[in-house]
Amino acid sequence: MRSPRVKGQITPCCSKVGIKRGPWTPEEDEVLANFVKKEGEGRWRTLPKRAGLQRCGKSCRLRWMNYLRPSVKRGHIAPDEEDLILRLHRLLGNRWSLIAGRIPGRTDNEIKNYWNTHLSKKLISQGIDPRTHKPLPSFHNNSKTHESNNPDQSSAPQINSCCSQQNQTNNVIQINSSVVVTTGNNWGTTSSGKVAASLEENGVEVEGEVEDKIMGEEDDTLSSFLESLINNNDNQVLGNQQSQDLHVFHAPPPHPTMASSSSSHQFFDLSFWESEFQSFGGDHQQYGYPFK
DNA sequence: AATAAACACAACCGCGTCACG
DNA sequence: CCGTGACGCGGTTGTGTTTAT
């Protein structure tokens, strides 16, 4: 919910006069944290004045979101978190917010930084292109790697034709009563970084991106879809179940402990996924279920 | 011990999206 | 339907710390 705009007001971010920049002091942190705890998040533009801070609203929002929020988990990224970041990045590309939404306690900024400083270098050292997650081209044409395989950003996404990453798995997800996504042929990410797959609307194949179709649906649906892709791609759980190719996922119920948090975190309802795996005769431990 | 280089991460910037009048 | 402004996102920069010389 956004606050109604007020005509004639100047955005403080645009007028630098009197606005402090640079690292936050503990005193500023305390003022901001206390104010947000009391007044709640939002109305960032007017927050600095109301809270008595000499910062712009953007800076306040960023500081709260990335550092002061109680739910922010700081410190070392665990191996299972790293593994999940890698999987999600392979699916989603540099969509840090989407990735962060599926790793509790981690912020988009933290994941982005971790990727840029650790994971991308780690992949390169393993001979893997961090952008495409495919083996790097041979050494002699490595000189312009960051531009050489950049897809045409101007072209519209085409299902099964311009995916920057393609994968061979079998899965179907029912988005709503009329839209079905099948990953039986190919799925992957388009040049714009969105997940693409074969889409059918009322039984007729249509072009589009899965995420766009899911927009407006319950976020659980997107989570379910991503989860199914993650497990499929890495573990071949469903792909090996030939008779189960047409399994339809339903949005999982919210996890009791997550019920009051953002809906994206309902993704972590283990009981739902365990029952899903059991319905296939699967075992999440055997297949390396990515969460504890 | 001094300095430079490399690294890690916090913070900023510009732009796209969306809600509202 | 259009213009405006708030918000959120991803890319980039800035700054403090650590390591190498």
Side-chain angles (χ1 to χ4, degrees):
Chain A
M1 199 57 133
R2 292 176 185 184
S3 49
R5 71 186 179 89
V6 182
K7 268 191 171 172
Q9 283 198 345
I10 297 166
T11 307
C13 292
C14 301
S15 59
K16 309 289 185 201
V17 184
I19 298 298
K20 190 172 175 233
R21 298 180 56 183
W24 281 65
T25 66
E27 291 75 24
E28 287 176 310
D29 281 347
E30 193 181 351
V31 170
L32 177 59
N34 288 338
F35 188 84
V36 175
K37 280 173 193 166
K38 195 171 66 147
E39 302 288 329
E41 293 182 26
R43 298 164 68 197
W44 295 109
R45 193 182 65 81
T46 60
L47 185 146
K49 191 175 181 181
R50 291 182 289 129
L53 286 163
Q54 302 290 78
R55 294 274 182 174
C56 74
K58 269 189 175 184
S59 182
C60 291
R61 179 188 161 273
L62 206 66
R63 186 64 179 171
W64 171 257
M65 294 294 193
N66 289 337
Y67 196 88
L68 297 174
R69 238 182 341 163
S71 59
V72 171
K73 177 168 68 176
R74 308 193 61 74
H76 184 67
I77 302 235
D80 59 338
E81 290 178 302
E82 184 178 305
D83 181 58
L84 185 52
I85 292 169
L86 283 165
R87 292 173 191 223
L88 288 166
H89 187 274
R90 184 167 51 207
L91 289 172
L92 303 168
N94 293 358
R95 306 186 75 191
W96 307 116
S97 180
L98 210 53
I99 294 171
R102 283 153 182 83
I103 305 176
R106 300 296 183 183
T107 68
D108 54 353
N109 210 33
E110 188 176 16
I111 289 168
K112 180 171 59 181
N113 284 331
Y114 189 72
W115 180 269
N116 288 331
T117 56
H118 294 91
L119 290 181
S120 64
K121 290 172 187 170
K122 188 175 176 179
L123 289 180
I124 289 168
S125 74
Q126 294 171 350
I128 297 168
D129 186 333
R131 202 186 63 79
T132 63
H133 293 263
K134 290 178 176 176
L136 285 164
S138 55
F139 186 76
H140 67 271
N141 56 11
N142 265 359
S143 55
K144 291 181 179 177
T145 48
H146 38 297
E147 292 299 333
S148 60
N149 47 15
N150 189 29
D152 180 9
Q153 299 286 334
S154 65
S155 60
Q158 300 290 314
I159 302 304
N160 292 340
S161 63
C162 73
C163 290
S164 59
Q165 306 156 33
Q166 291 193 350
N167 306 274
Q168 297 284 333
T169 57
N170 293 303
N171 193 17
V172 167
I173 183 168
Q174 181 95 40
I175 292 178
N176 58 32
S177 57
S178 65
V179 178
V180 172
V181 179
T182 170
T183 61
N185 298 319
N186 290 309
W187 64 268
T189 53
T190 66
S191 58
S192 62
K194 293 188 174 181
V195 176
S198 300
L199 298 177
E200 284 182 26
E201 214 156 351
N202 295 317
V204 178
E205 190 159 336
V206 296
E207 284 192 356
E209 288 168 330
V210 172
E211 204 173 320
D212 290 342
K213 287 291 173 190
I214 292 177
M215 285 304 217
E217 302 294 323
E218 291 297 315
D219 193 47
D220 296 337
T221 310
L222 175 58
S223 293
S224 302
F225 182 70
L226 292 173
E227 176 70 359
S228 68
L229 293 186
I230 291 166
N231 286 321
N232 252 335
N233 184 46
D234 282 285
N235 305 316
Q236 301 280 311
V237 176
L238 305 183
N240 290 339
Q241 307 279 331
Q242 295 300 322
S243 63
Q244 303 286 350
D245 284 351
L246 296 183
H247 179 70
V248 174
F249 280 101
H250 298 283
H255 189 280
T257 61
M258 294 294 184
S260 61
S261 64
S262 118
S263 59
S264 62
H265 289 164
Q266 291 173 7
F267 179 60
F268 294 93
D269 179 11
L270 288 187
S271 60
F272 169 79
W273 289 108
E274 281 171 349
S275 67
E276 286 293 305
F277 271 88
Q278 281 161 9
S279 73
F280 287 108
D283 176 347
H284 71 78
Q285 289 178 329
Q286 176 189 349
Y287 292 110
Y289 190 86
F291 313 110
K292 290 176 179 173

